[in-house]
Amino acid sequence: MSVLVMKFGGTSVATLDRIRRAAKRVGVEVAKGHDVIVIVSAMSGETNKLVGLVEDTSPLFDAREYDAVVSSGENVTAGLMALTLQEMDIPARSWQGWQVPVKTTSTHASARIEDIPPANISAKFAEGMKVAVVAGFQGISPEGRITTLGRGGSDTTAVAFAAAFGAVRCDIYTDVDGVYTTDPRICEKARKLDRIAFEEMLEMASLGAKVLQTRSVELAMRYKVPLRVLSSFEEMDDAAGTLVCDEEEIMESNVVAGVAHSRDEAKMTLVSVADRPGIAAAIFTPLAEAGVNVDMIVQNISEEGRTDMTFSCPTNQVARAEKAMEEAKAKGEINFHGIVADTNVAKVSVVGIGMRSHAGVAAKFFRVLADDGINIQVITTSEIKISVLIERKYMELAVQALHDAFELDKAG
């Protein structure tokens, strides 16, 4: 029997009416002959409420108890979904992470999935269960404690289950009807993509697109799990949404697939760093240890044995980065004259697998920004993307101009 994985996010299960609506979609797939694994998030707003309760109770909380509390939101949804399906005469049973079991690392609040043995759920399918409703976002550590997977963890749970059970597809139901060429709230010409390659989606997700969590796309790409992103609020349609798949499954596409942006970026510069072998490691090791997510890196030409080192990071990590650098300086690990932090920048990127085989994309990108009087502060590239840091006030203009220039409103 073929297995299908369906994941419903918080807005899709926010009320009992929405749970019933989601259950009807599950019923359609059961009627097609699938055994279905449903991954559910907590009802919209519930996780934030639980986090608030933990923080109000214990500001310096024990992460193990944090996970015990915060994971309970998904347990409630799983039970309600199973009951709803049973009311529809569909054999369903809820499963918490430890019951599957979803085996994870011991890093509480940001654990990683290590293994999902399929035996327990497969045995129940063999006995006649048609739907396993699994609480997303959670697992169990080697010590037997409940763990949670961090932000977007239910997406990761869904893809991991699809890989473990050899599912025909993993459907991610959310409040948007697919992946767009850019944010429709910024550019009214944004077009929904029928298909997008794993690599393109991974870049789009990591560069600011909020549709899918980066770890879930990484997993899908590694295990070749076809992902479909679709809205739980649209009419049911087999051709709906956007399919995230192998590059080989896309016949023709635009050179550029989409324009991504990230508003919450900061540019940090270490001024006049003593230039010597190993200086980059001396800077970025303490940043990594402090949990600073460094993205773009630029080093100036060395003059008289000193250089400037610029990097970008999320705005909410600036204070952490400054502390790490000052501590490294105090220990004598690095020597610099000052730190300059600019929190008034944004990152704008174009992404496309077609860039591998087409020249002139960078030239066009830079010309478009120049024509609109937008100064580029930092540039970084890969085989399939170009990213720049610009003043934040120009972000929407840049997104719209690039979307027009690369004619992303037209299908490939």
Side-chain angles (χ1 to χ4, degrees):
M1 187 67 71
S2 62
V3 174
L4 178 71
V5 175
M6 304 173 74
K7 181 262 178 179
F8 293 95
T11 54
S12 302
V13 292
T15 64
L16 289 178
D17 281 344
R18 289 188 180 179
I19 289 174
R20 291 186 191 104
R21 186 183 181 115
K24 287 178 182 175
R25 292 183 180 274
V26 177
V28 169
E29 299 298 345
V30 171
K32 291 177 183 176
H34 294 301
D35 284 336
V36 181
I37 297 174
V38 175
I39 309 296
V40 291
S41 298
M43 298 167 84
S44 185
E46 192 63 24
T47 301
N48 288 340
K49 176 184 167 187
L50 293 167
V51 170
L53 288 172
V54 170
E55 291 175 343
D56 289 346
T57 302
S58 175
L60 299 174
F61 54 77
D62 182 330
R64 291 165 294 189
E65 302 309 331
Y66 170 93
D67 279 355
V69 173
V70 173
S71 63
S72 66
E74 280 72 16
N75 298 342
V76 172
T77 312
L80 292 173
M81 177 66 82
L83 286 170
T84 304
L85 289 163
Q86 289 171 10
E87 286 294 303
M88 297 165 56
D89 294 324
I90 297 172
R93 184 63 65 202
S94 67
W95 297 74
Q96 295 178 18
W98 63 270
Q99 293 172 301
V100 176
V102 178
K103 297 181 179 180
T104 74
T105 60
S106 301
T107 312
H108 287 275
S110 59
R112 299 186 78 85
I113 296 172
E114 294 196 317
D115 188 29
I116 301 177
N120 288 345
I121 287 178
S122 293
K124 290 299 181 184
F125 278 142
E127 292 172 11
M129 179 184 72
K130 296 305 295 178
V131 182
V133 186
V134 179
F137 177 63
Q138 61 175 252
I140 186 165
S141 72
E143 295 77 29
R145 301 292 311 182
I146 293 168
T147 56
T148 62
L149 307 180
R151 184 172 169 234
S154 292
D155 281 358
T156 305
T157 303
V159 175
F161 268 84
F165 283 80
V168 292
R169 195 178 64 246
C170 178
D171 287 347
I172 306 286
Y173 286 87
T174 180
D175 53 2
V176 296
D177 61 349
V179 180
Y180 279 74
T181 49
T182 196
D183 188 340
R185 293 168 298 183
I186 287 180
C187 182
E188 61 182 21
K189 294 182 183 177
R191 176 177 56 85
K192 184 174 74 68
L193 296 163
D194 293 328
R195 294 182 175 225
I196 185 171
F198 286 126
E199 284 183 86
E200 291 172 328
M201 189 67 246
L202 187 58
E203 290 284 11
M204 294 278 279
S206 65
L207 293 168
K210 300 290 192 291
V211 179
L212 283 173
Q213 201 261 357
T214 308
R215 277 166 64 191
S216 68
V217 183
E218 286 174 347
L219 266 180
M221 185 164 71
R222 186 185 313 160
Y223 293 104
K224 307 294 184 190
V225 174
L227 269 179
R228 189 168 62 150
V229 180
L230 62 172
S231 170
S232 57
F233 307 113
E234 300 284 325
E235 292 302 314
M236 286 179 263
D237 178 358
D238 285 344
T242 299
L243 185 68
V244 187
C245 56
D246 255 340
E247 184 179 334
E248 290 75 20
E249 295 179 50
I250 302 174
M251 294 294 292
E252 282 292 333
S253 62
N254 290 329
V255 176
V256 170
V259 182
H261 68 275
S262 176
R263 194 184 304 271
D264 301 318
E265 296 289 323
K267 182 181 72 170
M268 303 194 67
T269 302
L270 292 182
V271 180
S272 190
V273 181
D275 194 8
R276 57 175 174 76
I279 189 60
I283 292 170
F284 294 107
T285 298
L287 288 171
E289 290 170 350
V292 177
N293 184 18
V294 173
D295 182 19
M296 307 163 121
I297 301 171
V298 175
Q299 182 176 354
N300 286 349
I301 296 170
S302 179
E303 289 186 7
E304 298 178 359
R306 304 195 77 82
T307 186
D308 295 339
M309 186 78 79
T310 298
F311 60 89
S312 68
C313 68
T315 50
N316 61 3
Q317 295 179 7
V318 168
R320 201 184 304 171
E322 288 174 335
K323 184 178 179 213
M325 291 295 89
E326 292 294 356
E327 287 176 352
K329 183 179 182 180
K331 292 176 184 175
E333 294 170 358
I334 52 176
N335 179 277
F336 57 87
H337 290 171
I339 305 175
V340 178
D342 182 357
T343 56
N344 195 33
V345 296
K347 179 168 60 181
V348 176
S349 315
V350 295
V351 176
I353 53 177
M355 291 166 62
R356 288 195 188 116
S357 54
H358 287 76
V361 176
K364 188 173 188 177
F365 183 107
F366 300 142
R367 174 51 54 198
V368 168
L369 297 189
D371 288 346
D372 278 313
I374 301 172
N375 185 48
I376 298 169
Q377 299 183 24
V378 179
I379 302 168
T380 186
T381 65
S382 75
E383 268 194 322
I384 65 166
K385 76 147 190 226
I386 302 168
S387 295
V388 296
L389 280 187
I390 59 175
E391 268 192 88
R392 188 171 298 155
K393 66 181 180 182
Y394 294 119
M395 185 190 78
E396 293 191 10
L397 173 62
V399 168
Q400 292 163 355
L402 290 165
H403 196 274
D404 287 346
F406 287 102
E407 300 182 323
L408 297 184
D409 56 323
K410 300 173 185 174

